[in-house]
Coordinates of all heavy atoms in Angstrom, one line a residue:
I833 N 86.2 47.3 -14.8 CA 85.4 46.8 -13.7 C 86.2 45.7 -13.0 O 86.4 45.7 -11.8 CB 84.0 46.3 -14.1 CG1 83.2 47.5 -14.6 CG2 83.3 45.7 -12.9 CD1 82.0 47.1 -15.3
A834 N 86.6 44.7 -13.8 CA 87.3 43.5 -13.2 C 88.6 43.9 -12.6 O 89.0 43.4 -11.5 CB 87.5 42.5 -14.3
S835 N 89.3 44.9 -13.2 CA 90.6 45.3 -12.6 C 90.4 46.0 -11.3 O 91.3 45.8 -10.4 CB 91.3 46.3 -13.6 OG 91.6 45.6 -14.8
R836 N 89.3 46.7 -11.1 CA 89.1 47.3 -9.8 C 88.9 46.2 -8.7 O 89.4 46.3 -7.6 CB 87.8 48.2 -9.8 CG 88.0 49.5 -10.6 CD 86.7 50.2 -10.8 NE 86.9 51.5 -11.5 CZ 85.9 52.1 -12.2 NH1 84.7 51.7 -12.2 NH2 86.2 53.3 -12.8
H837 N 88.2 45.2 -9.1 CA 88.0 44.1 -8.1 C 89.3 43.3 -7.9 O 89.6 43.0 -6.7 CB 86.9 43.1 -8.7 CG 85.6 43.7 -8.9 ND1 85.0 44.6 -8.1 CD2 84.7 43.5 -10.0 CE1 83.9 45.0 -8.6 NE2 83.6 44.3 -9.7
M838 N 90.1 43.2 -8.9 CA 91.4 42.5 -8.7 C 92.3 43.4 -7.8 O 93.0 42.9 -7.0 CB 92.1 42.2 -10.0 CG 93.4 41.5 -9.9 SD 93.2 39.8 -9.2 CE 92.6 38.9 -10.6
L839 N 92.3 44.7 -8.0 CA 93.1 45.6 -7.2 C 92.7 45.5 -5.7 O 93.5 45.4 -4.8 CB 92.9 47.0 -7.7 CG 93.7 48.1 -6.9 CD1 95.2 47.8 -7.0 CD2 93.4 49.5 -7.5
A840 N 91.4 45.4 -5.5 CA 90.9 45.2 -4.1 C 91.4 43.9 -3.5 O 91.7 43.8 -2.3 CB 89.4 45.3 -4.1
E841 N 91.4 42.8 -4.3 CA 91.9 41.5 -3.9 C 93.4 41.7 -3.5 O 93.8 41.1 -2.5 CB 91.7 40.5 -5.0 CG 92.2 39.1 -4.6 CD 91.2 38.4 -3.6 OE1 90.0 38.8 -3.5 OE2 91.6 37.5 -2.9
I842 N 94.2 42.3 -4.3 CA 95.6 42.5 -4.1 C 95.8 43.2 -2.8 O 96.7 42.9 -2.0 CB 96.3 43.2 -5.3 CG1 96.3 42.2 -6.5 CG2 97.7 43.6 -5.0 CD1 96.6 42.9 -7.8
Q843 N 95.1 44.3 -2.6 CA 95.2 45.1 -1.4 C 94.8 44.3 -0.2 O 95.4 44.4 0.9 CB 94.5 46.4 -1.6 CG 95.1 47.3 -2.6 CD 94.3 48.6 -2.9 OE1 93.1 48.6 -3.0 NE2 95.1 49.7 -2.9
A844 N 93.7 43.5 -0.3 CA 93.2 42.8 0.8 C 94.3 41.7 1.2 O 94.4 41.3 2.4 CB 91.9 42.1 0.5
Q845 N 95.0 41.2 0.3 CA 96.1 40.2 0.6 C 97.4 40.9 1.0 O 98.4 40.1 1.3 CB 96.3 39.3 -0.7 CG 95.1 38.6 -1.1 CD 94.7 37.5 -0.2 OE1 95.5 37.0 0.6 NE2 93.4 37.1 -0.2
S846 N 97.4 42.2 1.0 CA 98.7 43.0 1.3 C 99.8 42.5 0.4 O 101.0 42.4 0.9 CB 99.1 42.8 2.8 OG 98.0 43.3 3.6
A847 N 99.5 42.2 -0.8 CA 100.5 41.6 -1.7 C 101.5 42.8 -2.2 O 101.0 43.8 -2.6 CB 99.8 41.0 -2.9
Q848 N 102.8 42.5 -2.2 CA 103.8 43.4 -2.6 C 104.5 42.9 -3.9 O 105.2 43.7 -4.5 CB 104.7 43.8 -1.5 CG 104.2 44.6 -0.4 CD 103.7 46.0 -0.9 OE1 104.4 46.7 -1.6 NE2 102.4 46.3 -0.6
H849 N 104.4 41.6 -4.1 CA 105.1 41.0 -5.3 C 104.0 40.2 -6.1 O 103.6 39.2 -5.6 CB 106.2 40.1 -4.8 CG 107.3 40.8 -4.1 ND1 108.3 41.5 -4.7 CD2 107.5 41.0 -2.8 CE1 109.1 42.1 -3.8 NE2 108.6 41.8 -2.6
V850 N 103.6 40.8 -7.2 CA 102.5 40.3 -8.0 C 102.9 39.9 -9.4 O 103.6 40.7 -10.1 CB 101.4 41.3 -8.0 CG1 100.2 40.8 -8.9 CG2 100.9 41.6 -6.6
A851 N 102.6 38.7 -9.8 CA 102.9 38.3 -11.2 C 101.6 38.4 -11.9 O 100.5 38.0 -11.4 CB 103.4 36.8 -11.2
L852 N 101.6 38.9 -13.1 CA 100.5 38.9 -14.0 C 101.0 38.7 -15.4 O 102.0 38.2 -15.6 CB 99.7 40.2 -13.9 CG 100.4 41.6 -13.6 CD1 101.3 41.9 -14.7 CD2 99.4 42.7 -13.3
Y853 N 100.2 39.1 -16.4 CA 100.5 38.7 -17.8 C 99.9 39.8 -18.8 O 99.0 40.5 -18.4 CB 99.9 37.4 -18.1 CG 98.4 37.3 -17.9 CD1 97.6 37.5 -18.9 CD2 97.9 37.0 -16.6 CE1 96.2 37.4 -18.7 CE2 96.6 37.0 -16.4 CZ 95.7 37.2 -17.5 OH 94.3 37.2 -17.2
F854 N 100.5 39.8 -20.0 CA 99.9 40.6 -21.0 C 98.8 39.8 -21.7 O 98.9 38.6 -21.9 CB 100.9 40.9 -22.1 CG 101.9 42.0 -21.7 CD1 103.1 42.2 -22.4 CD2 101.6 43.0 -20.7 CE1 104.0 43.2 -22.1 CE2 102.5 44.0 -20.4 CZ 103.7 44.1 -21.1
T855 N 97.7 40.5 -21.9 CA 96.5 39.8 -22.4 C 96.5 39.8 -23.9 O 97.1 40.6 -24.6 CB 95.2 40.5 -21.9 OG1 95.3 41.9 -22.1 CG2 95.0 40.2 -20.4
Q856 N 95.8 38.8 -24.4 CA 95.6 38.6 -25.9 C 94.4 37.8 -26.1 O 93.7 37.2 -25.2 CB 96.8 37.8 -26.5 CG 97.1 36.5 -25.8 CD 98.2 35.7 -26.4 OE1 98.6 36.0 -27.5 NE2 98.8 34.8 -25.6
D857 N 93.9 37.7 -27.4 CA 92.9 36.8 -27.8 C 91.6 37.0 -27.0 O 90.9 36.1 -26.6 CB 93.3 35.3 -27.7 CG 92.4 34.3 -28.3 OD1 91.8 34.7 -29.4 OD2 92.2 33.2 -27.8
G858 N 91.2 38.3 -26.7 CA 90.0 38.6 -26.1 C 90.0 38.4 -24.6 O 88.9 38.5 -24.0
E859 N 91.1 38.2 -24.0 CA 91.2 38.1 -22.5 C 90.9 39.5 -21.9 O 91.1 40.5 -22.5 CB 92.6 37.6 -22.1 CG 92.9 36.2 -22.5 CD 94.4 35.9 -22.2 OE1 95.2 36.7 -22.2 OE2 94.6 34.7 -21.9
L860 N 90.5 39.5 -20.6 CA 90.3 40.7 -19.9 C 91.7 41.5 -19.9 O 92.7 40.9 -19.5 CB 89.9 40.5 -18.5 CG 88.4 40.2 -18.2 CD1 88.2 39.7 -16.8 CD2 87.6 41.5 -18.4
S861 N 91.7 42.7 -20.3 CA 92.9 43.5 -20.4 C 93.5 43.7 -19.0 O 92.7 44.1 -18.0 CB 92.7 44.8 -21.1 OG 93.8 45.6 -21.0
T862 N 94.8 43.6 -18.8 CA 95.5 43.9 -17.6 C 96.1 45.3 -17.6 O 96.8 45.6 -16.7 CB 96.5 42.8 -17.2 OG1 97.4 42.7 -18.3 CG2 95.9 41.5 -17.0
K863 N 96.0 46.0 -18.7 CA 96.7 47.3 -18.9 C 96.4 48.3 -17.7 O 97.4 48.8 -17.1 CB 96.4 47.9 -20.2 CG 97.1 49.2 -20.5 CD 96.8 49.7 -21.9 CE 97.5 51.0 -22.1 NZ 97.2 51.6 -23.5
K864 N 95.2 48.5 -17.4 CA 94.8 49.5 -16.4 C 95.3 49.0 -15.0 O 95.7 49.8 -14.2 CB 93.3 49.8 -16.4 CG 92.8 50.5 -17.6 CD 93.4 51.9 -17.7 CE 92.8 52.7 -18.8 NZ 93.3 54.0 -19.0
L865 N 95.2 47.7 -14.8 CA 95.6 47.1 -13.5 C 97.1 47.3 -13.3 O 97.6 47.7 -12.3 CB 95.3 45.6 -13.5 CG 95.6 44.9 -12.2 CD1 95.0 45.5 -11.0 CD2 95.3 43.4 -12.3

Side-chain angles (χ1 to χ4, degrees):
I833 295 165
S835 293
R836 289 171 178 163
H837 301 322
M838 183 63 78
L839 180 60
E841 183 74 24
I842 291 168
Q843 292 177 314
Q845 299 293 334
S846 300
Q848 289 299 311
H849 298 276
V850 175
L852 36 63
Y853 56 95
F854 283 159
T855 48
Q856 58 179 336
D857 191 34
E859 294 173 328
L860 278 170
S861 174
T862 57
K863 182 178 179 180
K864 292 295 185 183
L865 180 60

